[in-house]
Amino acid sequence: MHKLIVLLIVVAATVLSSVAEARAEALEFSGFARAVAGKIDTEKATYEGYDDSISFSEKSLIAFQADYTFSSSFSASAQLLLHTDEDRESGIEWLYLTYAPSESFQINAGRLRTPFLKYSDVIDVGFAYPWINAPQQLYSSYLFSQYEGGNARLRRSFGDVVVDFEAYYGKYEDALASSGVNVDVAVDNMFGGVIEVNYGGLQLRTATINAPKVQTTIDEIAPFLQGLRAAGFDSIAEQFDINDRAGSFLLGASYDTLSWYVSGEWMKVSSDIDVLANLESFYVSYGYYLDEVLLHLTYASSRQSLNTIDNVIPVGVSPELDQLYFAVEQLNSFFPTDDLDTWTLGARWDVKTNIALKAELSLLDGKEGRTSFYEVKDNNFDRNATLYQVAVEWIF
Amino acid sequence: MRKYTLFFLILLSSRIATAQEGVWVVANVTDQGFSLTKGEVRNLFMSSGTSKKYVFDPVALSPGNRARAIFNAKIIALPESRIQSYWAQMRFSGRMTPPKEFDNLDALLNYISSTDGAIGYVPADTELPNNVAIVYRSF
């Protein structure tokens, strides 16, 4: 079935890209697609949806973008994304109006993707970055990936140094699926910004995301929390109420030359929410070009500080209390504790100016007893696995 | 083994050839004494950014043109594949679109000479229309 979807995507893209070539003056079509196949070498867990059989459907996608220019300073853009991942919905990913009175200033309003990490607002455009799977320790964990609101982007030059500023404000709402449980997340006020400094091949970046009040509803655990309160354990129930501040902070640097590059990003996610412990992660990456082939090596690591759930239910008093105690422990273990170190070796071959082939191998070294970005199926799993992926990236 | 040696020799010779050729960055500007630094040219073609008080319209030759390869190597200092992935990032995040591209030198020069503020690059020693001036020379 998934193979069929991938095939349909490729056929649709071929037809639509030829339509795009016959574009009108004011309306421009473009798009991107990726077909990714991968597997991990264990049957005891899944990682990023991958198990020990080859899957094409975890990351394959196609997107169509339409840009309509009303006048020299007003335009509208829409991006439709079709995804084969079961945990992600297909639909309108970007939809916004742009007012750009000059080349160095623009305002956008509508549905936008949150700018944070170097590639976080183009994470679906695999062609834009070297990896197949950008370091998960950062790219899957930086909090709110899109928002409805507005942003302003300003560019200033100081001699040969170009500085970009971006500030945004909006709201976020999403239904996330975590270990098969639906989590509804709503942030009414979210704001942040990015400063990026470019000097020749050197780039320095810093970014923040701030959400003063994150409201989360998990229908599955509501009756249990009610039960805890009824039994007089309000303090425990309160710790599972996710209704507080969260934020992320980023520092990044990269240096690009004609034949090699180095890049790295460090990020910290902090929150006052008890069960969402603080996360610190980073990667460093080196790439070397052998003509059209890029070889790259990346080390990435994340550390999540321990959950501080204070389980005050006494053990050994009665079977009912024991049961409640273990239920709290079990619920606590459902929340992520993502300690993971990875080495990733990859190759990217740009066969044409708009098509790249990639292959990638990642050694995943998680910590026992932690989730480490896995969905663990067998508790004996030692959290070590190898992820193999190949991909075709395409823009049109 | 001989096949590989030959391959590397060809590779090497093509790199030496690129290193010996130069490009001129040329623009349709009224001020004939106007010039740019290498850093300014790079910023103009990668981010439309310049501290100069001119509004420029950068234009490029399509991939596969020799002058483009030399310009990429000497001024942008990035491989073609990195430049393509950079523009994909800029386009699909709604930031910028790449410079307009022309398949050949004549079409590029025609555009520059008929458009105020247009700026592009040509192989060194190209014969230029009267209203097109050299603003940067790379050897």
Side-chain angles (χ1 to χ4, degrees), chain A residues 134-148:
Chain A
Q136 284 311 292
Q137 292 95 329
L138 293 89
Y139 281 83
S140 74
S141 313
Y142 64 94
L143 294 176
F144 317 109
S145 58
Q146 84 274 4
Y147 66 96
E148 283 176 18

Side-chain angles (χ1 to χ4, degrees), chain B residues 9-21 66:
Chain B
L9 276 177
I10 291 168
L11 212 78
L12 200 66
S13 61
S14 74
R15 287 211 165 155
I16 291 167
T18 320
Q20 282 169 346
E21 292 172 45
R66 185 142 186 86

Side-chain angles (χ1 to χ4, degrees), chain A residues 263-336:
Chain A
S263 71
E265 293 186 279
W266 172 86
M267 141 188 130
K268 186 169 182 160
V269 177
S270 58
S271 77
D272 295 338
I273 301 162
D274 292 315
V275 287
L276 289 184
N278 297 342
L279 177 78
E280 232 182 281
S281 40
F282 73 91
Y283 72 80
V284 282
S285 188
Y286 172 77
Y288 185 80
Y289 298 96
L290 277 168
D291 282 291
E292 276 82 36
V293 179
L294 164 69
L295 301 174
H296 56 88
L297 181 69
T298 305
Y299 177 74
S301 174
S302 65
R303 289 291 173 269
Q304 198 149 20
S305 53
L306 270 175
N307 291 351
T308 51
I309 287 294
D310 196 8
N311 193 350
V312 293
I313 301 169
V315 187
V317 177
S318 74
E320 290 79 12
L321 280 178
D322 285 358
Q323 218 176 358
L324 204 54
Y325 175 88
F326 288 112
V328 167
E329 289 298 304
Q330 207 188 344
L331 179 57
N332 195 22
S333 70
F334 155 78
F335 291 96

Side-chain angles (χ1 to χ4, degrees), chain A residues 142-321:
Chain A
Y142 64 94
L143 294 176
F144 317 109
S145 58
Q146 84 274 4
Y147 66 96
E148 283 176 18
N151 70 26
R153 292 167 175 165
L154 175 71
R155 167 168 292 150
R156 280 278 168 270
S157 299
F158 306 94
D160 288 350
V161 179
V162 180
V163 187
D164 286 286
F165 301 91
E166 177 164 352
Y168 62 89
Y169 176 83
K171 64 171 186 170
Y172 169 89
E173 234 170 78
D174 206 3
L176 311 169
S178 176
S179 309
V181 175
N182 293 318
V183 184
D184 291 317
V185 183
V187 182
D188 285 340
N189 301 295
M190 147 178 165
F191 59 92
V194 181
I195 300 173
E196 188 178 299
V197 179
N198 285 285
Y199 174 66
L202 177 69
Q203 182 183 76
L204 303 173
R205 292 180 85 252
T206 182
T208 66
I209 300 176
N210 300 283
K213 199 174 170 80
V214 182
Q215 286 174 295
T216 308
T217 319
I218 309 173
D219 287 339
E220 274 89 343
I221 67 165
F224 175 65
L225 296 187
Q226 265 172 10
L228 273 176
R229 288 201 166 93
F233 297 109
D234 283 71
S235 65
I236 299 176
E238 226 163 76
Q239 292 175 75
F240 287 110
D241 257 342
I242 303 174
N243 196 344
D244 219 326
R245 184 201 70 87
S248 318
F249 176 71
L250 172 92
L251 290 174
S254 60
Y255 188 69
D256 277 272
T257 75
L258 194 56
S259 52
W260 57 270
Y261 68 80
V262 282
S263 71
E265 293 186 279
W266 172 86
M267 141 188 130
K268 186 169 182 160
V269 177
S270 58
S271 77
D272 295 338
I273 301 162
D274 292 315
V275 287
L276 289 184
N278 297 342
L279 177 78
E280 232 182 281
S281 40
F282 73 91
Y283 72 80
V284 282
S285 188
Y286 172 77
Y288 185 80
Y289 298 96
L290 277 168
D291 282 291
E292 276 82 36
V293 179
L294 164 69
L295 301 174
H296 56 88
L297 181 69
T298 305
Y299 177 74
S301 174
S302 65
R303 289 291 173 269
Q304 198 149 20
S305 53
L306 270 175
N307 291 351
T308 51
I309 287 294
D310 196 8
N311 193 350
V312 293
I313 301 169
V315 187
V317 177
S318 74
E320 290 79 12
L321 280 178

